[in-house]
Amino acid sequence: MKKHYLIGLIATFCLTGSLFAQDKFQEGGVFTLQECIELGLKHNTEIKKAQLDEEAANYQRKEIIGTGLPQVDAYGDYNNFLDVYPQAIPGGVLDPNTDPSDINVIAFGVPQSMKAGAQISQLIFSQSYLVGLKAAKTSEQFYRLLTQMTEEDIVYDVALNYYSVISTELQMDNLEANHDQLKRLEEIIKSQYENDLARKVDYNRVKVNLTTLETEMDNLEISIEQRKNYLKLVMGIPVNTPLSLEEYDFKDNLSPLQALQVDADLSQRYDLQVLGKQQELNDLNINNIKSGYYPTLSAFADVNYNAFSTEFDFLSSSHMWYRGSLIGLKLSVPIFDGFQKKNKIAQARVEGQKIKYDQYMAEQNAEAEYLNAVKKLKNSIKSLQAQESNLELSEDVLQQTGELYREGLSPLTDLLDAETTLRQARSSYYRQIINVKTAEADLYKSTGQIEKIIRN
């Protein structure tokens, strides 16, 4: 019930936000994670293909239903006997004067005949038909689960790629901030060097650091573009579409802790539900084979009109047509098939055993994924707290080193080292934030509740 409730939340979100996100998609704008997920659910080709499979299953069910409805056919025959078929009869039948031991060959019938009519048949009882109806309905449910599993994968993939882009953009922000600081420091050192207040080696050292930083920024810019393009592919939108992502909210510290309180009901996972439906379909296949032992009963009726002539004059209004009609029942009782059905059932039961092993391994894998995800999220939160403290400490070191440098009590190398340390600490902090969000997504996916990431 919880699973259906959460799926309903996604559906409600997609319906209420679709127009707004679609306008952004067409006009460009800043996208939130929720809007990227909504566009992915709407445009991703894998989801569209899964929906087509679901649609095909619906048509297949209707096709099976159709076999139990009346079947009506019209037909017509025209025969032109170039030589009327001869018939042999004993002598004396038509002519008493002939020898009874003789054989008289005569032509019965006329050279031309025409027949037109309609026939209807109705299935009355077929165990295979009843089982087929159940199998068709279960097949629809099976493909619906596959669609939902695909949607879950897309939500997960969009989230991870969204975080990947955010991570590189945060790294870029960090480099840009350090670049601005180094640029100001370069101007100061240059002015000091020109007034013989600083050494040339100090000025060159700052220039080297600045060039290295600019190279890193160029490489990171390429990485951002590549990750954005891959995000667009997952979302199913053209790669030339402008895409800007909402800035990360650094105050969002509660959602990872909420994820640790998630209900660990692994039965909500779609992969386990799909295997369950596969087992149901296999059981229905066995029942369908067994239904071959049952008799089938159907009714039929036929109404036709016949005309006979020595020449083709059937279109004449004066031509006589003779009506014929019949109704009947047809019963088919299977007796012996050379043990074919018995061996088919045995094969299907073997397949059922294989599915059971698949279910066992899937359950074990789901349990392992959940435990690993919990451990990963706990450790990621712990590491984030350590990186946050390390960042604060690095900021204090840079501030103190800067004051000492301005007072002439610390060399330039210490200031540059402190600046590099702060850049690395901030980079590690940003990276760890994204690691926490990724671990959060892994935990939700491991429990089959990736929809919750939309609300967090």
Side-chain angles (χ1 to χ4, degrees):
M1 183 63 70
K2 290 181 180 179
K3 186 69 173 178
H4 295 305
Y5 171 72
L6 291 171
I7 292 293
L9 284 178
I10 281 192
T12 302
F13 164 75
C14 289
L15 287 174
T16 56
S18 60
L19 292 177
F20 181 67
Q22 189 67 24
D23 289 342
K24 280 190 177 183
F25 168 57
Q26 295 172 349
E27 301 172 3
V30 178
F31 288 83
T32 64
L33 172 61
Q34 289 84 351
E35 289 167 344
C36 288
I37 288 175
E38 186 232 328
L39 286 174
L41 291 174
K42 184 174 182 180
H43 295 285
N44 185 272
T45 55
E46 293 300 319
I47 291 180
K48 291 181 178 180
K49 287 164 60 179
Q51 290 170 343
L52 289 175
D53 288 337
E54 191 178 346
E55 185 178 354
N58 180 47
Y59 290 133
Q60 185 180 43
R61 179 181 62 83
K62 293 179 179 179
E63 176 190 356
I64 294 174
I65 291 175
T67 61
L69 300 177
Q71 311 294 305
V72 181
D73 296 296
Y75 62 91
D77 291 324
Y78 166 69
N79 296 308
N80 185 355
F81 293 94
L82 301 179
D83 292 303
V84 178
Y85 291 149
Q87 298 289 331
I89 61 174
V93 173
L94 298 178
D95 187 357
N97 297 321
T98 59
D99 187 353
S101 61
D102 291 340
I103 296 177
N104 295 328
V105 178
I106 62 174
F108 273 121
V110 293
Q112 298 196 38
S113 64
M114 183 174 286
K115 180 180 182 180
Q119 58 186 11
I120 181 172
S121 62
Q122 172 63 57
L123 184 65
I124 297 176
F125 174 78
S126 172
Q127 184 66 18
S128 178
Y129 175 72
L130 299 176
V131 175
L133 291 177
K134 295 179 182 179
K137 183 177 181 181
T138 304
S139 181
E140 271 193 299
Q141 296 169 351
F142 172 77
Y143 282 105
R144 178 55 189 155
L145 285 173
L146 288 181
T147 300
Q148 292 172 332
M149 189 164 67
T150 303
E151 291 173 346
E152 183 182 64
D153 291 339
I154 296 305
V155 170
Y156 178 76
D157 289 344
V158 169
L160 259 60
N161 284 281
Y162 181 94
Y163 293 145
S164 178
V165 174
I166 291 294
S167 175
T168 51
E169 288 183 339
L170 288 174
Q171 300 297 335
M172 180 62 81
D173 292 342
N174 181 32
L175 294 184
E176 288 176 347
N178 281 272
H179 180 270
D180 293 341
Q181 292 179 357
L182 273 178
K183 199 69 178 175
R184 288 193 296 270
L185 182 60
E186 181 195 29
E187 294 173 355
I188 295 173
I189 298 297
K190 181 180 179 181
S191 175
Q192 291 177 344
Y193 169 67
E194 291 173 348
N195 292 284
D196 296 327
L197 298 176
R199 298 177 301 172
K200 183 176 182 180
V201 66
D202 292 335
Y203 176 59
N204 290 339
R205 185 178 288 114
V206 173
K207 288 183 65 177
V208 168
N209 282 15
L210 190 60
T211 301
T212 301
L213 192 60
E214 289 173 347
T215 302
E216 289 183 25
M217 292 171 64
D218 290 339
N219 294 333
L220 201 57
E221 185 177 356
I222 296 173
S223 179
I224 290 174
E225 187 65 22
Q226 291 174 338
R227 297 187 183 193
K228 276 189 177 182
N229 287 338
Y230 191 75
L231 174 60
K232 294 172 191 176
L233 288 175
V234 177
M235 291 168 61
I237 63 177
V239 292
N240 59 358
T241 304
L243 181 66
S244 299
L245 304 184
E246 185 181 56
E247 293 184 1
Y248 183 79
D249 181 10
F250 290 95
K251 298 179 181 179
D252 181 20
N253 297 320
L254 295 178
S255 62
L257 297 175
Q258 293 172 351
L260 290 173
Q261 309 300 321
V262 69
D263 181 16
D265 182 10
L266 302 184
S267 64
Q268 298 184 73
R269 287 175 59 119
Y270 284 126
D271 55 345
L272 299 182
Q273 294 183 53
V274 165
L275 286 172
K277 285 299 174 185
Q278 283 184 336
Q279 190 65 272
E280 285 185 41
L281 288 170
N282 188 71
D283 292 341
L284 288 170
N285 182 40
I286 293 175
N287 291 337
N288 184 51
I289 299 171
K290 288 181 178 179
S291 66
Y293 292 113
Y294 288 78
T296 58
L297 179 64
S298 60
F300 61 90
D302 189 301
V303 177
N304 56 75
Y305 288 85
N306 301 267
F308 309 93
S309 180
T310 57
E311 57 184 14
F312 191 90
D313 60 352
F314 299 105
L315 301 180
S316 173
S317 60
S318 60
H319 200 92
M320 291 294 295
W321 288 81
Y322 303 93
R323 189 178 73 176
S325 60
L326 65 88
I327 59 173
L329 295 174
K330 181 179 180 181
L331 177 66
S332 177
V333 181
I335 297 177
F336 181 69
D337 66 348
F339 304 110
Q340 294 183 54
K341 287 188 283 292
K342 177 182 177 182
N343 289 297
K344 286 182 179 179
I345 291 173
Q347 293 176 57
R349 284 175 175 163
V350 169
E351 190 65 29
Q353 288 296 324
K354 291 166 62 178
I355 295 175
K356 286 183 179 179
Y357 286 128
D358 289 341
Q359 286 178 309
Y360 172 77
M361 288 304 300
E363 289 169 358
Q364 293 300 306
N365 181 65
E367 183 69 23
E369 283 186 6
Y370 170 70
L371 295 176
N372 292 340
V374 170
K375 183 67 174 178
K376 180 180 177 181
L377 182 55
K378 287 182 177 179
N379 288 351
S380 296
I381 293 175
K382 182 179 178 181
S383 297
L384 179 61
Q385 293 170 345
Q387 292 293 342
E388 189 173 7
S389 299
N390 192 47
L391 176 60
E392 293 175 356
L393 184 60
S394 298
E395 290 173 344
D396 290 341
V397 169
L398 179 61
Q399 181 182 0
Q400 294 171 10
T401 304
E403 292 175 356
L404 292 174
Y405 173 76
R406 285 189 292 273
E407 295 172 1
L409 300 177
S410 178
L412 178 63
T413 53
D414 288 353
L415 180 62
L416 294 177
D417 288 343
E419 181 274 335
T420 301
T421 300
L422 176 60
R423 182 171 73 246
Q424 293 173 346
R426 186 175 287 117
S427 177
S428 298
Y429 174 68
Y430 289 157
R431 223 174 6 248
Q432 194 57 38
I433 286 176
I434 302 305
N435 288 341
V436 170
K437 298 303 293 184
T438 301
E440 178 188 12
D442 288 341
L443 180 55
Y444 281 135
K445 190 172 189 296
S446 70
T447 58
Q449 303 177 60
I450 191 64
E451 304 86 8
K452 285 188 175 181
I453 202 170
I454 293 178
R455 300 186 301 168
N456 295 316

